[in-house]
């Protein structure tokens, strides 16, 4: 069954039951906007290809706030402490239908699928190698992180430790992660061992709809619920999470509109059930791009291991949400034999024959 059929059925009948999102249809809906003026990543002048969140205090703009005069009259607080007070004041004066949350979105560290794409080149990766589980030496189905990916995640861990101690950055109070192994591992490497509040330890919730764009690429096929429970026993798994992957299909992929629909659904679930203001999401390049679209943020592509904080205004509005039609999965273009390593183009078809490694 195509994801679009699945989503349409769930929305029309009982909401998002079966994937941990049980939001029935209501006479209200949540509208999301990005509150700009606080982070460099929001600014059109920021170059996404050269920007470093580590070198820029997570991108927090060095500025004053209207609340500084009473909160920090002597100028002793850090930028993050003053920002935290500003967000507190925003929430305090927002009314019951508006909430502000700071969402830290982190991309997983480099995975073996990323390394394989770099080696083979994107044309050969997309039409051939991504459709098989590995090359006989390395596997990339539900890809593990590479040693470089581990290094990236540990660098972010060290950065968090410094920011918590020196800049007094408010740590996440809730943690969410994609069910794919590279994110499960990255989240653990990033947040384990930090000086976190005892009432808010690092215990992430695994959410199906935070996964990467669903495609025929084997790196995007998740492991079983049992595997996740055994490999990451301290993690929570959302209700309704199926034992096996019911969404992945060989040689087919979801389209952007369907990905944005599920991104909106998972944000609705988090914002309607989680009262915390500071939230961490560990996910993927494509899925974070989708979340940013839903939040009205400018496009901002993250390198492996990178993090982007987004100040979100969520307003509950009267009336049902605007209707968005889903469409079926589409076929992906495949090659019957692998293009040359480093090829810049490929000749592919929409045949469904299984590629075989020579």
């Amino acid at each position: 069954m195509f994801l679009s059929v699945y989503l349409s059925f769930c929305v029309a009948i009982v909401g998002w039951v079966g994937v941990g999102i049980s939001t029935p249809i209501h006479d209200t809906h949540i509208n999301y906007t990005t509150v700009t003026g606080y982070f460099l990543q929001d600014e059109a002048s920021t170059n996404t290809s050269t920007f470093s969140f580590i070198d820029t205090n997570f991108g927090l703009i060095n500025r004053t706030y209207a609340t500084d005069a009473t909160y920090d009259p002597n100028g002793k607080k850090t930028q993050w402490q003053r920002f935290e007070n500003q967000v507190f004041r925003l929430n305090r004066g927002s009314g019951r239908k508006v909430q502000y949350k700071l969402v830290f979105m982190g991309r997983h560290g480099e995975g073996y699928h990323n390394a394989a794409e770099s080696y083979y080149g994107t044309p050969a990766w997309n039409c051939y190698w991504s459709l098989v589980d590995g090359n006989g030496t390395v596997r990339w189905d539900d890809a593990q992180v590479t040693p470089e990916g581990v290094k990236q995640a540990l660098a972010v861990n060290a950065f968090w430790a410094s920011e918590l101690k020196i800049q007094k950055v408010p740590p996440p109070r809730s943690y969410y992660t994609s069910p794919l192994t590279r994110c499960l591992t990255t989240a653990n490497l990033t947040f384990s061992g930090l000086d976190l509040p005892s009432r808010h330890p690092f215990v992430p919730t695994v959410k199906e709809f935070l996964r990467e764009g669903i495609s025929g690429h084997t790196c995007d096929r998740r492991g079983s619920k049992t595997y996740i429970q055994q490999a990451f026993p301290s993690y929570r798994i959302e209700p309704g999470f199926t034992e096996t992957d019911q969404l992945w299909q060989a040689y087919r992929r979801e389209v952007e509109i369907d990905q944005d629909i599920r991104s909106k659904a998972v944000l609705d679930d988090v914002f309607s059930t989680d009262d915390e203001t500071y939230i961490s999401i560990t996910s993927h390049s494509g899925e974070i791009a989708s979340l940013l679209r839903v939040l009205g943020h400018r496009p901002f592509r993250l390198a492996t291991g990178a993090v982007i904080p987004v100040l979100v205004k969520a307003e509950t509005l009267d009336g049902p949400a605007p209707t968005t039609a889903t469409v079926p999965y589409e076929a992906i273009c495949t090659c019957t034999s692998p293009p040359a390593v480093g090829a810049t183009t490929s000749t592919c078809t929409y045949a469904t024959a299984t590629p075989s490694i020579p």
Side-chain angles (χ1 to χ4, degrees):
M1 181 181 294
F2 291 143
L3 177 61
S4 58
V5 176
Y6 179 81
L7 297 185
S8 298
F9 174 81
C10 291
V11 171
I13 306 300
V14 292
W16 301 83
V17 175
V19 287
I21 300 177
S22 55
T23 305
I25 297 173
H26 289 301
D27 291 330
T28 62
H29 66 281
I30 302 176
N31 182 67
Y32 299 99
T33 54
T34 295
V35 185
T36 59
Y38 292 95
F39 291 94
L40 293 169
Q41 295 93 320
D42 306 335
E43 306 296 311
S45 59
T46 299
N47 187 330
T48 62
S49 63
T50 59
F51 181 78
S52 169
F53 73 97
I54 288 180
D55 295 337
T56 56
N57 199 19
F58 274 117
L60 185 64
I61 295 173
N62 185 17
R63 50 161 287 191
T64 60
Y65 310 121
T67 54
D68 288 350
T70 55
Y71 175 69
D72 187 28
N74 297 319
K76 300 296 185 182
K77 304 294 186 181
T78 70
Q79 187 71 51
W80 271 106
Q81 287 174 310
R82 292 188 290 110
F83 171 80
E84 183 177 14
N85 181 66
Q86 171 75 355
V87 175
F88 171 77
R89 294 293 180 179
L90 287 173
N91 275 318
R92 187 173 182 179
S94 65
R96 65 183 183 86
K97 290 190 175 182
V98 175
Q99 58 178 314
Y100 294 86
K101 293 185 188 295
L102 183 67
V103 183
F104 292 96
M105 301 186 202
R107 185 184 177 190
H108 61 80
E110 181 192 64
Y112 280 100
H113 65 306
N114 300 125
E117 181 175 357
S118 295
Y119 174 74
Y120 289 113
T122 297
W125 170 256
N126 281 339
C127 82
Y128 185 85
W129 290 106
S130 66
L131 308 178
V132 295
D133 290 345
N135 61 6
T137 302
V138 175
R139 294 183 66 97
W140 48 70
D141 54 320
D142 188 16
Q144 303 273 348
V145 293
T146 65
E148 178 62 23
V150 172
K151 181 180 177 181
Q152 291 168 344
L154 291 177
V156 178
N157 176 278
F159 178 63
W160 267 108
S162 173
E163 290 286 287
L164 290 168
K165 181 179 180 180
I166 298 173
Q167 299 296 334
K168 311 299 182 186
V169 60
R173 267 65 167 184
S174 297
Y175 301 85
Y176 299 95
T177 179
S178 158
L180 294 168
T181 296
R182 54 194 182 271
C183 288
L184 301 170
T185 300
T186 297
N188 184 56
L189 292 169
T190 299
F191 293 107
S192 291
L194 295 177
D195 185 16
L196 301 173
S198 59
R199 293 180 57 188
H200 302 283
F202 169 65
V203 182
T205 299
V206 179
K207 299 192 77 64
E208 183 82 87
F209 277 11
L210 288 177
R211 63 192 292 166
E212 181 60 296
I214 303 165
S215 72
H217 295 190
T218 61
C219 58
D220 297 330
R221 184 183 64 219
R222 72 163 172 85
S224 68
K225 179 178 179 180
T226 298
Y227 156 73
I228 296 172
Q229 290 172 323
Q230 293 176 347
F232 303 91
S234 65
Y235 288 18
R236 299 190 185 103
I237 298 180
E238 65 180 347
F241 193 86
T242 57
E243 171 62 22
T244 58
D245 191 343
Q246 301 295 304
L247 301 180
W248 186 87
Q249 295 183 33
Y251 309 113
R252 305 190 73 81
R253 64 184 173 199
E254 71 176 337
V255 297
E256 184 175 286
I257 190 172
D258 280 355
Q259 186 171 6
D260 290 356
I261 288 172
R262 67 174 169 90
S263 295
K264 173 67 161 59
V266 75
L267 286 170
D268 285 352
D269 184 48
V270 169
F271 275 73
S272 62
T273 62
D274 192 331
D275 292 332
E276 299 298 340
T277 300
Y278 298 92
I279 289 174
S280 167
I281 290 175
T282 304
S283 191
H284 310 261
S285 176
E287 176 54 19
I288 291 173
S290 176
L291 292 167
L292 292 178
R293 287 193 296 269
V294 173
L295 296 174
H297 195 282
R298 65 180 289 232
F300 202 99
R301 181 172 175 81
L302 300 183
T304 50
V307 178
I308 181 172
V310 180
L311 181 59
V312 178
K313 178 183 178 182
E315 183 175 9
T316 301
L317 301 176
D318 293 331
T323 302
T324 304
T326 58
V327 297
Y329 279 16
E330 62 184 12
I332 58 178
C333 198
T334 65
C335 300
T336 55
S337 60
V341 173
T344 57
T345 61
S346 64
T347 301
C348 62
T349 66
Y350 290 92
T352 58
T354 304
S356 58
I357 299 176

